[in-house]
Structures are given as structure tokens and as C-alpha cells.
Amino acid sequence: MRKTNYLVTALSILCTSSLTASAAVKVEDIFKANCASCHGEQLQGGMAGSLLDATWLKDGSDKSLSEAIKFGVKEKGMPAFGASLSEETIRTLVVYIREAGYRADVQAIKTPTINKRFSTKYHSVNTQEVTSTSGIIWAMDFLPDGSLLYTLREGQLWLLDKNGQSTQIKNTPEVWHRGQGGMLDVMPDPDYAQNGWVYLSYSKKTGQNKAGQDIGITAIVRGKIKNNQWVEQQTLFEAPKQTHRNRGWHFGSRFAISGEYLFFSNGDEGHQDDAQDLATQNGKVHRIYKNGQIPKDNPFFNHSKALKTIWTYGNRNPQGLVKHPITHQIWSTEHGPRGGDELNLITKGLNYGWPKITYGMNYDGTPITPHTSLPGMQQPVHQWTPSIAVAGMNFYTHKLFQQWQGDLFVGSLAKKQLHRLRIKNDKVVEDEIILKGLGRIRDVVAAPNGKLYITMNDRQANESKIIALSPSK
């Protein structure tokens, strides 16, 4: 090895600092007070080794890092630290080390520019700007004729025709554009050519709480588009009145359709404990029929205090939902807090653990829980620590990109990345960052002609773009 185990060195310095930490102490403060003088403010190394170059004594897994901190490494002279640091604090230190290493890795990836060619593992790719607009494009999906529906979070639905002309669809539902809320997902029915249905999710103001503050919910409707007007609207889901308390956070919301069933996600709405409460819509994936009726074989249909629409629970804020084109399994991407973004295989009745288990920590650097797993709680298929802020996703099934068939493409907000995941036997075997740095990628979908479309936004400029990716000959 190029140097001796720098993790042991790092933790030895940490352990000799007579550090005591409560759950309220931020991980940055713990590191700066006890480690930065030797390892550098940016973990780049100094008197002790760097924490950025992924050279590990063991396998470098989260478990081995945690065990090194907790139990020490006797043969290297590193004392056990479990008596003075809580499990929660040990977990936050692991996340902090991961964050620093991730930043160093991603800096090495070249950032492409729009309307330029760039290379990936399997394909050379051209990018082309399709359209741009002010505001945040939240979701998009193609109609059978190749025209594109997209939502603006401020409360609008637009149709981009094959000639590049955008037209606003009038008379769509009034949205509550607050915080993360607004016009959210849009999805045409798979049988759109026959029935004309389009599904929308949006945040809806429903009243005020006892403190006089506005509150709302995630509403699910479907309607039709005729002469650029939204018509024949049907309400498919609104949560019971007693559960309405969203103040503008974690609405979800994405759709997946499998046969006659409509799946949709609802975030925890900023009330994390609700994700474990079957009496609320929050922190769940729901299943209904496409007409809004509730299937009697839903897992909690016969539970007297549970919402009958619930399919899974313990989901923090799923903002990606899609049906696998071959297996018909439902997959989701779920925002973690600071760390612990998840890719989940959504399976009937399972508890995905939030907030009792997570691979992340609070945004302020304090712990949430010491547990990344507990009995009876489902593990993610894949997780990103630190958080990339996962968003919309889609499986690619076209022949235009021959080497990408069957791969899952996932957008990232905070890291401004597009990830390509290769999945075999329900396990991720490749996670390639296709591009980064162009903007916050909120949705990804394949066009009927096989091009891959992504939507991205620049918050400072208050501008969104739709970009098409095609193979470079």
C-alpha cells in the first residue's frame, strides 16, 4: 500500500482527544475540534494521512469503518471508542468521511456542455437543448404521437408538440405553490390512445391549522386534454381531513401504472414519525385502481385504523416511481436526509424503515438513529451516502442506445448528475455517472424515437431546460 492505514491514523487522533459527544453535537464540530489539526480542514491530510483516497485496511465498508471506531484496532495501537461515542455519533462520523471522499471522486468527472458530445462507458453521446422556460419543470412524459407533456411547479401543464411549439393547457387544477409543493407529476395512461386519460398530482391547500397556518395535501386526479383545455377531471385520491397538516414539505409525488393499478408516492410531509403510522397517508406508497377505487387485496385493507390505499410504508420522500418493463416490479427512488438516498424495490406490505433506520443523518450534522437495519424493516437495493438528492427515473428499453437497454436512469438534484444503473437479479452491479454539473436533474424519460430526455433547472437563474441525449455516430 502507498501508505499505512490512514483510517486507523485518523481515528487514533480522534480517540486521543478525550472526545465526548451528545446527540446534539454536530459532526463537523466533532471533526474540527479533534481531527482537523492533523488531517486538515478538508480531510486532505497533514501530520496524519488523507481521508480522501479510499485506501483502507479492510474492505472500506460502512460496517468496517464503524467497527474500527467502536472497537479499535489493537494491533495498530488504536483504542476502542465505543465507550465514549454513541452509536448515533459513530454513524455520523462515517457519513462525514463518506461525504468528503465523494466530493473528491466526483471532481474527477469531466462536466459536458449542452450541444456538445461526451463519452460514457458504453456510448458517445450528443446533447441538444429542446426547450427552456422560466420556473421549475417538475415532470414530463411523452404522448404516443411524440409530443411531450410537462409540468411547471408553479401550477401549469404544458404540451410541447413535435415541431417544438409549447402550448399551455388551460383550466388545470389550482395548486398550492408553497415550499416544495405545486404542480407535480404528470403521466398519460398507457392506453391513452384509446381512453385519453392523463394523471396529475399536485399540492392542494385545504385549510388552516389551529395556529392559523395554511395546510394542504397531495391530491391525485385524472382528466383529459381537448382543444388545449383540461376537461372531465376526476378526483382519485385525497387523504382524510384529520390527516391534513402539510406546511409545504415532502409531498412526493410520482406515478407508476401496472395493468389496472395506479401507484403513487406521498412523502412524509415533514412529519417523519408519520411514515410508521398506518393511519396517515404520509411516508407511503399507495395503490388504487386507475378510476380511484381501492383494491380489496391491498395489504392493510382490512385493518380498521389503517388507510386502505397503503401499499408500503416507512418511505421518507419518494420522488421516483416506475414499473420495470419486463418483471413489472415497482421501483422507487427515495430522498434520504443528509445521506441515505435509496433505490427500493416496492413490495406489498413492507416497511422500509424511515425514520427508525436510515443511512443518513440530520441536515445539521446531528444523528437521527444508530440503526441502518432492524428486524422486519426492508433494506434498500442501493443507497447513496452522501445524498445525491435522487429524483425522477426510468428504465431504458429502446434500441437507439444498444448498450443501455434495460438500464435504469436516475436524476440527481443536489449533485446535478444523471446516473445509469445496471441491475441484475434485483441488485445494482453498475452505477455510472453519465453527466454532471449541467443543472438539477429532476426527471428522465425516453422518447418514442429512443432519445433520452432529461429536465434540469437552475434555481439561481429560475430557469429550466429539457435536454435530449442521442448516440454520437
Side-chain angles (χ1 to χ4, degrees), residues 230-291:
W230 180 254
V231 299
E232 300 181 37
Q233 177 172 299
Q234 298 177 358
T235 298
L236 304 182
F237 176 83
E238 289 189 5
K241 184 68 175 179
Q242 66 270 19
T243 68
H244 296 194
R245 56 195 186 116
N246 195 325
R247 295 278 296 122
W249 308 107
H250 295 185
F251 289 92
S253 164
R254 293 286 181 180
F255 294 131
I257 293 177
S258 182
E260 291 302 307
Y261 301 111
L262 173 67
F263 295 82
F264 62 92
S265 62
N266 199 119
D268 68 10
E269 300 187 1
H271 303 284
Q272 62 183 37
D273 291 336
D274 281 5
Q276 294 294 319
D277 184 356
L278 294 176
T280 81
Q281 74 277 11
N282 299 339
K284 315 293 193 303
V285 175
H286 300 259
R287 185 183 76 150
I288 58 177
Y289 285 113
K290 292 191 295 183
N291 64 4

Side-chain angles (χ1 to χ4, degrees), residues 152-217:
L152 283 180
R153 196 172 69 180
E154 64 190 55
Q156 299 173 5
L157 176 65
W158 288 76
L159 178 67
L160 179 69
D161 66 24
K162 293 179 290 186
N163 298 317
Q165 289 292 114
S166 289
T167 302
Q168 184 180 356
I169 307 303
K170 301 293 187 179
N171 299 323
T172 52
E174 181 180 356
V175 309
W176 186 41
H177 186 210
R178 176 190 176 92
Q180 297 172 352
M183 187 72 79
L184 303 174
D185 206 10
V186 59
M187 186 177 189
D189 194 290
D191 297 322
Y192 176 85
Q194 286 72 46
N195 61 37
W197 288 116
V198 175
Y199 300 85
L200 287 176
S201 65
Y202 65 100
S203 56
K204 179 178 180 179
K205 180 182 174 182
T206 59
Q208 293 182 328
N209 60 21
K210 293 181 180 180
Q213 300 167 320
D214 291 340
I215 54 174
I217 57 168

Side-chain angles (χ1 to χ4, degrees), residues 322-329 331 394-397 406-408:
V322 67
K323 181 184 76 170
H324 192 284
I326 297 175
T327 67
H328 297 175
Q329 299 164 314
W331 291 76
N394 257 297
F395 285 99
Y396 187 82
T397 59
D407 289 347
L408 180 65

Side-chain angles (χ1 to χ4, degrees), residues 27 60 98 129 134 185 187 271 304 311 327 343 364 395:
V27 67
R98 290 279 184 245
E129 182 176 324
S134 60
D185 206 10
M187 186 177 189
H271 303 284
S304 60
W311 188 250
T327 67
L343 173 69
D364 65 1
F395 285 99

